[in-house]
mmCIF file with all atom_site columns, all heavy atoms in Angstrom:
data_model
loop_
_atom_site.group_PDB
_atom_site.id
_atom_site.type_symbol
_atom_site.label_atom_id
_atom_site.label_alt_id
_atom_site.label_comp_id
_atom_site.label_asym_id
_atom_site.label_entity_id
_atom_site.label_seq_id
_atom_site.pdbx_PDB_ins_code
_atom_site.Cartn_x
_atom_site.Cartn_y
_atom_site.Cartn_z
_atom_site.occupancy
_atom_site.B_iso_or_equiv
_atom_site.pdbx_formal_charge
_atom_site.auth_seq_id
_atom_site.auth_comp_id
_atom_site.auth_asym_id
_atom_site.auth_atom_id
_atom_site.pdbx_PDB_model_num
ATOM 1  N N   . PHE A 1 36 ? 5.961  19.194 17.450 1.00 77.00 ? 36 PHE A N   1
ATOM 2  C CA  . PHE A 1 36 ? 6.545  20.434 17.947 1.00 77.00 ? 36 PHE A CA  1
ATOM 3  C C   . PHE A 1 36 ? 8.026  20.143 18.229 1.00 77.00 ? 36 PHE A C   1
ATOM 4  O O   . PHE A 1 36 ? 8.375  19.665 19.311 1.00 77.00 ? 36 PHE A O   1
ATOM 5  C CB  . PHE A 1 36 ? 5.829  20.908 19.213 1.00 77.00 ? 36 PHE A CB  1
ATOM 6  C CG  . PHE A 1 36 ? 4.384  21.252 18.984 1.00 77.00 ? 36 PHE A CG  1
ATOM 7  C CD1 . PHE A 1 36 ? 3.387  20.307 19.219 1.00 77.00 ? 36 PHE A CD1 1
ATOM 8  C CD2 . PHE A 1 36 ? 4.021  22.499 18.509 1.00 77.00 ? 36 PHE A CD2 1
ATOM 9  C CE1 . PHE A 1 36 ? 2.051  20.612 18.995 1.00 77.00 ? 36 PHE A CE1 1
ATOM 10 C CE2 . PHE A 1 36 ? 2.683  22.811 18.283 1.00 77.00 ? 36 PHE A CE2 1
ATOM 11 C CZ  . PHE A 1 36 ? 1.703  21.872 18.526 1.00 77.00 ? 36 PHE A CZ  1
ATOM 12 N N   . PRO A 1 37 ? 8.903  20.404 17.247 1.00 79.00 ? 37 PRO A N   1
ATOM 13 C CA  . PRO A 1 37 ? 10.324 20.041 17.377 1.00 79.00 ? 37 PRO A CA  1
ATOM 14 C C   . PRO A 1 37 ? 10.968 20.651 18.616 1.00 79.00 ? 37 PRO A C   1
ATOM 15 O O   . PRO A 1 37 ? 10.785 21.846 18.893 1.00 79.00 ? 37 PRO A O   1
ATOM 16 C CB  . PRO A 1 37 ? 10.944 20.607 16.089 1.00 79.00 ? 37 PRO A CB  1
ATOM 17 C CG  . PRO A 1 37 ? 9.813  20.696 15.117 1.00 79.00 ? 37 PRO A CG  1
ATOM 18 C CD  . PRO A 1 37 ? 8.607  21.031 15.951 1.00 79.00 ? 37 PRO A CD  1
ATOM 19 N N   . ILE A 1 38 ? 11.701 19.834 19.366 1.00 69.00 ? 38 ILE A N   1
ATOM 20 C CA  . ILE A 1 38 ? 12.339 20.296 20.597 1.00 69.00 ? 38 ILE A CA  1
ATOM 21 C C   . ILE A 1 38 ? 13.400 21.349 20.296 1.00 69.00 ? 38 ILE A C   1
ATOM 22 O O   . ILE A 1 38 ? 13.606 22.283 21.065 1.00 69.00 ? 38 ILE A O   1
ATOM 23 C CB  . ILE A 1 38 ? 12.978 19.092 21.346 1.00 69.00 ? 38 ILE A CB  1
ATOM 24 C CG1 . ILE A 1 38 ? 11.877 18.115 21.779 1.00 69.00 ? 38 ILE A CG1 1
ATOM 25 C CG2 . ILE A 1 38 ? 13.785 19.554 22.552 1.00 69.00 ? 38 ILE A CG2 1
ATOM 26 C CD1 . ILE A 1 38 ? 12.401 16.850 22.405 1.00 69.00 ? 38 ILE A CD1 1
ATOM 27 N N   . ASN A 1 39 ? 14.082 21.205 19.151 1.00 74.00 ? 39 ASN A N   1
ATOM 28 C CA  . ASN A 1 39 ? 15.191 22.100 18.827 1.00 74.00 ? 39 ASN A CA  1
ATOM 29 C C   . ASN A 1 39 ? 14.748 23.390 18.139 1.00 74.00 ? 39 ASN A C   1
ATOM 30 O O   . ASN A 1 39 ? 15.580 24.184 17.717 1.00 74.00 ? 39 ASN A O   1
ATOM 31 C CB  . ASN A 1 39 ? 16.218 21.380 17.950 1.00 74.00 ? 39 ASN A CB  1
ATOM 32 C CG  . ASN A 1 39 ? 15.623 20.885 16.642 1.00 74.00 ? 39 ASN A CG  1
ATOM 33 O OD1 . ASN A 1 39 ? 14.410 20.936 16.461 1.00 74.00 ? 39 ASN A OD1 1
ATOM 34 N ND2 . ASN A 1 39 ? 16.474 20.407 15.750 1.00 74.00 ? 39 ASN A ND2 1
ATOM 35 N N   . ASN A 1 40 ? 13.436 23.588 18.001 1.00 73.00 ? 40 ASN A N   1
ATOM 36 C CA  . ASN A 1 40 ? 12.952 24.819 17.370 1.00 73.00 ? 40 ASN A CA  1
ATOM 37 C C   . ASN A 1 40 ? 11.602 25.191 17.985 1.00 73.00 ? 40 ASN A C   1
ATOM 38 O O   . ASN A 1 40 ? 10.578 24.600 17.652 1.00 73.00 ? 40 ASN A O   1
ATOM 39 C CB  . ASN A 1 40 ? 12.817 24.639 15.854 1.00 73.00 ? 40 ASN A CB  1
ATOM 40 C CG  . ASN A 1 40 ? 12.588 25.964 15.139 1.00 73.00 ? 40 ASN A CG  1
ATOM 41 O OD1 . ASN A 1 40 ? 12.071 26.915 15.719 1.00 73.00 ? 40 ASN A OD1 1
ATOM 42 N ND2 . ASN A 1 40 ? 12.980 26.033 13.873 1.00 73.00 ? 40 ASN A ND2 1
ATOM 43 N N   . ASN A 1 41 ? 11.617 26.179 18.871 1.00 72.00 ? 41 ASN A N   1
ATOM 44 C CA  . ASN A 1 41 ? 10.403 26.548 19.583 1.00 72.00 ? 41 ASN A CA  1
ATOM 45 C C   . ASN A 1 41 ? 9.442  27.391 18.760 1.00 72.00 ? 41 ASN A C   1
ATOM 46 O O   . ASN A 1 41 ? 8.347  27.715 19.228 1.00 72.00 ? 41 ASN A O   1
ATOM 47 C CB  . ASN A 1 41 ? 10.761 27.328 20.863 1.00 72.00 ? 41 ASN A CB  1
ATOM 48 C CG  . ASN A 1 41 ? 11.502 26.460 21.870 1.00 72.00 ? 41 ASN A CG  1
ATOM 49 O OD1 . ASN A 1 41 ? 11.260 25.259 21.954 1.00 72.00 ? 41 ASN A OD1 1
ATOM 50 N ND2 . ASN A 1 41 ? 12.404 27.065 22.615 1.00 72.00 ? 41 ASN A ND2 1
ATOM 51 N N   . ASN A 1 42 ? 9.855  27.757 17.550 1.00 86.00 ? 42 ASN A N   1
ATOM 52 C CA  . ASN A 1 42 ? 9.035  28.653 16.740 1.00 86.00 ? 42 ASN A CA  1
ATOM 53 C C   . ASN A 1 42 ? 8.258  27.937 15.644 1.00 86.00 ? 42 ASN A C   1
ATOM 54 O O   . ASN A 1 42 ? 7.484  28.569 14.921 1.00 86.00 ? 42 ASN A O   1
ATOM 55 C CB  . ASN A 1 42 ? 9.912  29.734 16.097 1.00 86.00 ? 42 ASN A CB  1
ATOM 56 C CG  . ASN A 1 42 ? 10.584 30.617 17.136 1.00 86.00 ? 42 ASN A CG  1
ATOM 57 O OD1 . ASN A 1 42 ? 9.952  31.007 18.112 1.00 86.00 ? 42 ASN A OD1 1
ATOM 58 N ND2 . ASN A 1 42 ? 11.860 30.909 16.932 1.00 86.00 ? 42 ASN A ND2 1
ATOM 59 N N   . ILE A 1 43 ? 8.474  26.634 15.495 1.00 89.00 ? 43 ILE A N   1
ATOM 60 C CA  . ILE A 1 43 ? 7.909  25.899 14.366 1.00 89.00 ? 43 ILE A CA  1
ATOM 61 C C   . ILE A 1 43 ? 7.020  24.748 14.841 1.00 89.00 ? 43 ILE A C   1
ATOM 62 O O   . ILE A 1 43 ? 7.347  24.042 15.793 1.00 89.00 ? 43 ILE A O   1
ATOM 63 C CB  . ILE A 1 43 ? 9.024  25.331 13.455 1.00 89.00 ? 43 ILE A CB  1
ATOM 64 C CG1 . ILE A 1 43 ? 9.790  26.480 12.801 1.00 89.00 ? 43 ILE A CG1 1
ATOM 65 C CG2 . ILE A 1 43 ? 8.460  24.414 12.381 1.00 89.00 ? 43 ILE A CG2 1
ATOM 66 C CD1 . ILE A 1 43 ? 8.961  27.310 11.833 1.00 89.00 ? 43 ILE A CD1 1
ATOM 67 N N   . ALA A 1 44 ? 5.891  24.567 14.178 1.00 88.00 ? 44 ALA A N   1
ATOM 68 C CA  . ALA A 1 44 ? 5.067  23.365 14.321 1.00 88.00 ? 44 ALA A CA  1
ATOM 69 C C   . ALA A 1 44 ? 5.044  22.668 12.969 1.00 88.00 ? 44 ALA A C   1
ATOM 70 O O   . ALA A 1 44 ? 5.079  23.329 11.923 1.00 88.00 ? 44 ALA A O   1
ATOM 71 C CB  . ALA A 1 44 ? 3.652  23.727 14.759 1.00 88.00 ? 44 ALA A CB  1
ATOM 72 N N   . ILE A 1 45 ? 4.998  21.353 12.994 1.00 90.00 ? 45 ILE A N   1
ATOM 73 C CA  . ILE A 1 45 ? 4.965  20.579 11.753 1.00 90.00 ? 45 ILE A CA  1
ATOM 74 C C   . ILE A 1 45 ? 3.658  19.794 11.710 1.00 90.00 ? 45 ILE A C   1
ATOM 75 O O   . ILE A 1 45 ? 3.391  18.968 12.576 1.00 90.00 ? 45 ILE A O   1
ATOM 76 C CB  . ILE A 1 45 ? 6.154  19.606 11.654 1.00 90.00 ? 45 ILE A CB  1
ATOM 77 C CG1 . ILE A 1 45 ? 7.482  20.350 11.793 1.00 90.00 ? 45 ILE A CG1 1
ATOM 78 C CG2 . ILE A 1 45 ? 6.102  18.844 10.321 1.00 90.00 ? 45 ILE A CG2 1
ATOM 79 C CD1 . ILE A 1 45 ? 8.692  19.424 11.879 1.00 90.00 ? 45 ILE A CD1 1
ATOM 80 N N   . VAL A 1 46 ? 2.829  20.091 10.711 1.00 90.00 ? 46 VAL A N   1
ATOM 81 C CA  . VAL A 1 46 ? 1.566  19.377 10.522 1.00 90.00 ? 46 VAL A CA  1
ATOM 82 C C   . VAL A 1 46 ? 1.790  18.331 9.434  1.00 90.00 ? 46 VAL A C   1
ATOM 83 O O   . VAL A 1 46 ? 2.133  18.667 8.296  1.00 90.00 ? 46 VAL A O   1
ATOM 84 C CB  . VAL A 1 46 ? 0.428  20.329 10.115 1.00 90.00 ? 46 VAL A CB  1
ATOM 85 C CG1 . VAL A 1 46 ? -0.881 19.546 9.980  1.00 90.00 ? 46 VAL A CG1 1
ATOM 86 C CG2 . VAL A 1 46 ? 0.285  21.458 11.123 1.00 90.00 ? 46 VAL A CG2 1
ATOM 87 N N   . ASN A 1 47 ? 1.626  17.064 9.785  1.00 87.00 ? 47 ASN A N   1
ATOM 88 C CA  . ASN A 1 47 ? 1.778  15.959 8.837  1.00 87.00 ? 47 ASN A CA  1
ATOM 89 C C   . ASN A 1 47 ? 0.408  15.405 8.476  1.00 87.00 ? 47 ASN A C   1
ATOM 90 O O   . ASN A 1 47 ? -0.351 14.998 9.352  1.00 87.00 ? 47 ASN A O   1
ATOM 91 C CB  . ASN A 1 47 ? 2.626  14.836 9.446  1.00 87.00 ? 47 ASN A CB  1
ATOM 92 C CG  . ASN A 1 47 ? 4.013  15.306 9.833  1.00 87.00 ? 47 ASN A CG  1
ATOM 93 O OD1 . ASN A 1 47 ? 4.759  15.797 9.004  1.00 87.00 ? 47 ASN A OD1 1
ATOM 94 N ND2 . ASN A 1 47 ? 4.360  15.176 11.106 1.00 87.00 ? 47 ASN A ND2 1
#
Side-chain angles (χ1 to χ4, degrees):
F36 297 95
I38 296 175
N39 60 351
N40 191 334
N41 294 327
N42 297 318
I43 294 295
I45 304 173
V46 182
N47 300 302

